[in-house]
Amino acid sequence: MRTDGVEPAPPTAGIVQRPVRDAGRPAVQRVTIRDVASLAGVSVATVSNALNRPSIVAPDTLERVQEAIARTGFVRSTAAGQLRGGKSRTVGVVVLDLANPFFTDMVRGAEDVLRKHGYMLMVCSSDESTEQELHYLRLLEEHRVDGLLITPAGHELREIAKLAAYGVPTVLLDRDANDEALCSVTVDDIRGGQLAAHHLLELGHADIAFVNGPATIRQCADRREGAMTAVRAKGRRPRRDVVFREIEVPALTADHGERAVGALLALEPRPTAVICANDLLALGVLKGLASARLAPPEDLAVVGYDDVTFASMLSPALTSVRQPKYELGATAARLLVEEATGGAHEHRSIRFEPELVVRASSRAPRAIRP
Ligand code: RIB
């Protein structure tokens, strides 16, 4: 029975009614820097120095402040620190597709380095959209991130370079900086495309398809260029011409890979092998072939790109061009920390070499198999 004379509404069957806290007022008041200063017997400025510049605080005072923080459970607010122009201790990361294990492996490498330097990540997915990328660049700027790791969604780097010009250390992930004053960490995708095509040519395939993402994505353009270079080299030999046909899909996802199978099988004559611009496309192609009751590699040899974790677990296990995903992210993070900590830093591009991992999804074409 309530004492204010107002009868509580009878509980509705099945719904447990609980008294609602005053909306908008926290149940427990957050510990503030003033509470810590009062308990430690020092000024608020001394607590702020103990947090941000402990080296200028007397050891015994620092110990008293640290003990007061431990006893009250005080958690500093970076937002307050930012208002005074402090560091957010946050690094923004923008990748093309968070659902792609290539990027999550790369982000994991970056996180393991940045965590050791006291940073946390704000990870965003541009979904291969330059508009969505710009939206996140604006939000990360508002959050005053201390650094940016980004795989650009388009050729244009102007907006990214603008953030770097504001003094935000920026490193391009899986993309060259061209002539922008930015660090970058990449893999030689032209070489990767060559490895994939050369492998199939050496198996005896003379009719190869390429399921590729949009040419606006530099990695896709480079892989195609590399594959064409290998095909042209092979085509010069007296043995035979090599047919190389590209099927471009709107995005580098398994769904678009599966949908590409219809176009693949409609090619006349049907290719004996297919290179996919990444392992998600290859996963989709394998699914589409299974739906068409076709079995790789007998009916179509399949080669992917990235060598993500699931590549070796597929049936047949996927031949793929391996990229050092974790190292890409870790290296980019080390470049960013070097630049952010104000030490001697010069922008540089670090390039890794891809490696072909041959598995069961690629074999010689039936026609020339012994
Ligand atoms: O960054 C573009 C592509 O390169 C991604 O799809 C990823 O899989 C890598 O291969």
Side-chain angles (χ1 to χ4, degrees):
M1 172 71 75
R2 288 176 55 159
T3 55
D4 58 8
V6 175
E7 285 300 319
T12 308
I15 295 176
V16 176
Q17 291 182 333
R18 291 192 176 86
V20 176
R21 292 198 314 258
D22 296 349
R25 280 176 48 79
V28 176
Q29 289 302 325
R30 192 187 299 273
V31 174
T32 69
I33 193 168
R34 285 175 182 71
D35 299 327
V36 173
S38 165
L39 184 62
V42 298
S43 69
V44 167
T46 301
V47 176
S48 176
N49 286 334
L51 290 168
N52 299 305
R53 296 180 297 170
S55 60
I56 68 169
V57 179
D60 61 329
T61 304
L62 184 61
E63 191 178 339
R64 285 208 323 271
V65 170
Q66 288 166 343
E67 190 181 314
I69 288 172
R71 283 175 57 189
T72 57
F74 170 73
V75 176
R76 68 194 295 173
S77 157
T78 51
Q82 286 170 269
L83 289 176
R84 289 192 305 277
K87 297 283 186 191
S88 67
R89 301 211 324 270
T90 306
V91 169
V93 183
V94 183
V95 295
L96 291 181
D97 178 5
L98 263 184
N100 182 341
F102 168 81
F103 291 108
T104 47
D105 286 357
M106 202 160 55
V107 171
R108 183 65 219 230
E111 182 187 37
D112 284 350
V113 170
L114 292 169
R115 181 178 60 248
K116 294 184 183 113
H117 292 271
Y119 290 102
M120 61 173 278
L121 307 186
M122 275 186 181
V123 185
C124 317
S125 185
S126 66
D127 295 343
E128 300 176 11
S129 155
T130 50
E131 293 76 26
Q132 192 154 310
E133 176 183 287
L134 184 58
H135 166 72
Y136 281 128
L137 286 176
R138 293 283 176 269
L139 284 179
L140 293 171
E141 192 180 339
E142 285 174 24
H143 281 272
R144 297 290 185 272
V145 291
D146 291 329
L148 174 66
L149 298 176
I150 183 166
T151 302
H155 279 306
E156 225 356 276
L157 298 178
R158 188 174 50 244
E159 292 300 331
I160 296 168
K162 198 188 292 181
L163 203 59
Y166 291 158
V168 177
T170 297
V171 179
L172 299 187
L173 276 172
D174 192 30
R175 172 69 186 281
D176 265 329
N178 302 338
D179 52 7
E180 294 290 352
L182 298 170
C183 288
S184 67
V185 181
T186 58
V187 177
D188 184 346
D189 281 316
I190 293 176
R191 177 69 184 136
Q194 282 176 320
L195 288 173
H198 185 72
H199 166 61
L200 291 170
L201 292 162
E202 288 303 287
L203 285 173
H205 291 280
D207 190 336
I208 300 171
F210 192 112
V211 175
N212 200 7
T216 50
I217 295 179
R218 167 65 67 77
Q219 296 88 324
C220 297
D222 286 354
R223 289 167 201 174
R224 181 185 186 281
E225 182 185 336
M228 287 294 293
T229 304
V231 165
R232 281 194 289 268
K234 191 78 173 182
R236 277 203 292 270
R237 292 189 189 167
R239 282 165 38 191
R240 63 185 174 280
D241 280 337
V242 176
V243 175
F244 182 82
R245 290 169 286 185
E246 183 181 24
I247 295 171
E248 185 173 310
V249 294
L252 292 141
T253 63
D255 181 48
H256 283 295
E258 184 178 4
R259 287 192 230 169
V261 170
L264 257 179
L265 301 183
L267 291 174
E268 281 299 335
R270 185 181 295 179
T272 60
V274 60
I275 300 169
C276 299
N278 77 357
D279 286 350
L280 286 183
L281 287 175
L283 179 65
V285 164
L286 291 173
K287 184 166 182 276
L289 291 175
S291 305
R293 301 194 185 291
L294 293 170
E298 284 69 22
D299 296 317
L300 186 74
V302 180
V303 175
Y305 201 107
D306 291 340
D307 194 31
V308 295
T309 311
F310 66 66
S312 62
M313 303 173 188
L314 295 172
S315 175
L318 181 65
T319 293
S320 185
V321 178
R322 173 175 294 162
Q323 297 202 75
K325 301 163 283 293
Y326 184 94
E327 293 77 11
L328 279 168
T331 303
R334 281 192 282 272
L335 284 171
L336 188 102
V337 168
E338 181 190 281
E339 184 174 353
T341 47
H345 174 79
E346 57 180 31
H347 294 313
R348 51 193 182 280
S349 292
I350 296 177
R351 169 160 292 191
F352 288 87
E353 284 304 312
E355 171 198 359
L356 180 72
V357 180
V358 179
R359 298 192 179 101
S361 70
S362 59
R363 284 183 56 193
R366 185 180 280 133
I368 64 169
R369 228 174 279 151

